[in-house]
Every structure is written in C-alpha cells, then in structure tokens.
Amino acid sequence: MAVTALGGGQFDVTVYSAAMDRPITLWVLHSGGESGPSPTLYLLNGVDGGENGGSWTGRSDVASFFADKNVTVVVPLAGRASYYTDWERDDPVLGRNKWTTFLTGELPPLIDNIFHNLGRNAIAGLSMSTTSVLNLAIHSPGLYQAVGSYSGCARTSDPLAQVYVSSQLAGFGADARNMWGPPSGPAWSENDPTLHADRLRGTELYIAAGTGLPGPHESLSAPGIDSNIGALADRAIVGGGMEAVVNQCTSQMVDRLQALRIPATVNLRPAGTHSWPYWQDDLHASWPMFAAATGA
C-alpha cells in the first residue's frame, strides 16, 4: 500500500487487491481525526469507473463539501463497466474483476486501520453503481449502515434489464456473459436488488431519480454546460432519455420497498436528467441520513 498526502486532508492511496492481482487507486478525504475516529463513506463512480474523468472528485464538490465533516470519504478510481461485482470469468478487455471481494473484504479493514476509523460505513453510487451499492449491502449484511442510490436501474433479471446491463458493458467492449454468465443463468437473479430488497431491511436507504424532463440544471448557465449549446442539447436529449428509463426502474424498486414496508427516503423528482449536478444534489440531500446512521 502507498499513501501520498495531497494537502487539504486529501490522499492518493494505492491498495493491492489480491483478488484482482492488481493495484487499485483510491482518492481519500480524511479530516485528520480532530473529532475522534470517523465513519467511512464509500462513493462509487458510474460506468467509466472514474478512469476517464467521470469521477466524484472531478465532477462534484465532494472535497469542499466534506472538508469540515467528521467522515472519511473513499472513491475508487477504477472499475469501468464492472458493475463493481465479482465476475465469473476474466474478460478479454476488462481483465479480472472481483470488486465485491475487494470492496467488502479487502479494503474496509485497511481503511479503518490506516485512518483509525470506527468500522461504521455508508456507501453511495450513481447510474451503473446504484445496482452495485444495493447489491453490496445485500450480500454483506451489517457492513453498511446506509446506502444511497442516485439515478440507477436496480433490476438485472428481466429481459429488458439484461439488455440494458449488457449494452452498458458492450460500450466498453466487455461481454456481460463473463460477468454473470448467460441471461438464463442464476447470477442475474442473484444480483437483482429488486428481487432481494427484503435483505435491505434495517439499512437506511436514500433512493433518487428524475423523470428526464428539463429541470433546474438544464440551462446554459448550469454546471457542466457553461454556455455550450451542444452540451445543453446533449444533456437534455441523451441525459433526458437515460433518466426516463432509469426512472421506471427506480420506481419499481421504490414500489418493492413499500410493499415490503421497508422505510426509505425517496426523492423522485418531477424533472431532471442523467447528469452530475443532480447527483451532487443527491449527495448533499442524503448526507444527514448517512451522518445519523453512521454516527458522524
């Protein structure tokens, strides 16, 4: 392991994963422990894993927002198109992915030891990684006290969901069959949070999505648009279309939780696209829940 201080409580941390037989780079924000041992908040990136600039660290105010809070924030800067899960086979393009093993078994003890943390955790993800964070909580009961799902499709076992997942991976040249086997295989159902939502009972949940309609962050002055008409059109059309699909999946997950009488903080916005400003809003909105659940 290598830890490099970047200043302002920020660290570049490299951890060797035995399960994946490679080093994993992390961005860590740690207050220094002025308030004593802190809990840990893990933030997972979207489909590019933060490897191509689409990271919490570069696309949100995560550093400044958490600078004065008693929490250690950990962002893996890897995992593109992996769904942050354990794959059945190595992929010719992506290589070996054993993210469940890394995130739930290998990493937490190291983070707790280095930064003298409490062993209490929350985790949040956006887009692709919303499926991941829900599954990580389901498969590792008690590890996370709270989970945040921002604009994700928490279904994997029905045909439309499988097409969606496969297309996400195919965009990076990866084969979803190497992840969970053929569509008829059991792993697709085993990794469907909607089917196993009952195992989230006792975990604090924040579930959010927009409708795809233009909202407060679809304007020329919005962050990430910066007066670029082409960028605005892309966010409104492409991001709007993606969020409309995500909204349906999210609504199904919310309905399932309600049927099971599992409490959740739900934020189904009347507008909003598949874009970073809304995920930053969700991070801010869900922080009080994370803080209360983890003792921050």
Side-chain angles (χ1 to χ4, degrees), residues 75-99:
V75 182
L77 299 176
R80 62 191 174 99
S82 69
Y83 270 81
Y84 291 105
T85 189
D86 281 1
W87 286 43
E88 294 184 354
R89 292 179 295 277
D90 292 355
D91 186 80
V93 174
L94 298 184
R96 179 164 299 170
N97 284 302
K98 296 292 182 180
W99 284 97

Side-chain angles (χ1 to χ4, degrees), residues 161-172:
Q162 291 174 341
V163 169
Y164 177 81
V165 171
S166 297
S167 67
Q168 293 275 292
L169 272 60
F172 287 80

Side-chain angles (χ1 to χ4, degrees), residues 111-126:
I111 293 295
D112 290 346
N113 183 57
I114 293 170
F115 296 102
H116 309 290
N117 284 358
L118 288 170
R120 294 180 65 81
N121 309 290
I123 190 168
L126 59 93

Side-chain angles (χ1 to χ4, degrees), residues 151-165:
S151 296
C153 192
R155 291 189 65 86
T156 62
S157 60
D158 63 83
L160 286 177
Q162 291 174 341
V163 169
Y164 177 81
V165 171

Side-chain angles (χ1 to χ4, degrees), residues 29-49:
L29 176 68
H30 180 66
S31 66
E34 292 86 350
S35 302
S38 64
T40 305
L41 171 61
Y42 293 91
L43 297 178
L44 302 188
N45 291 308
V47 71
D48 81 340

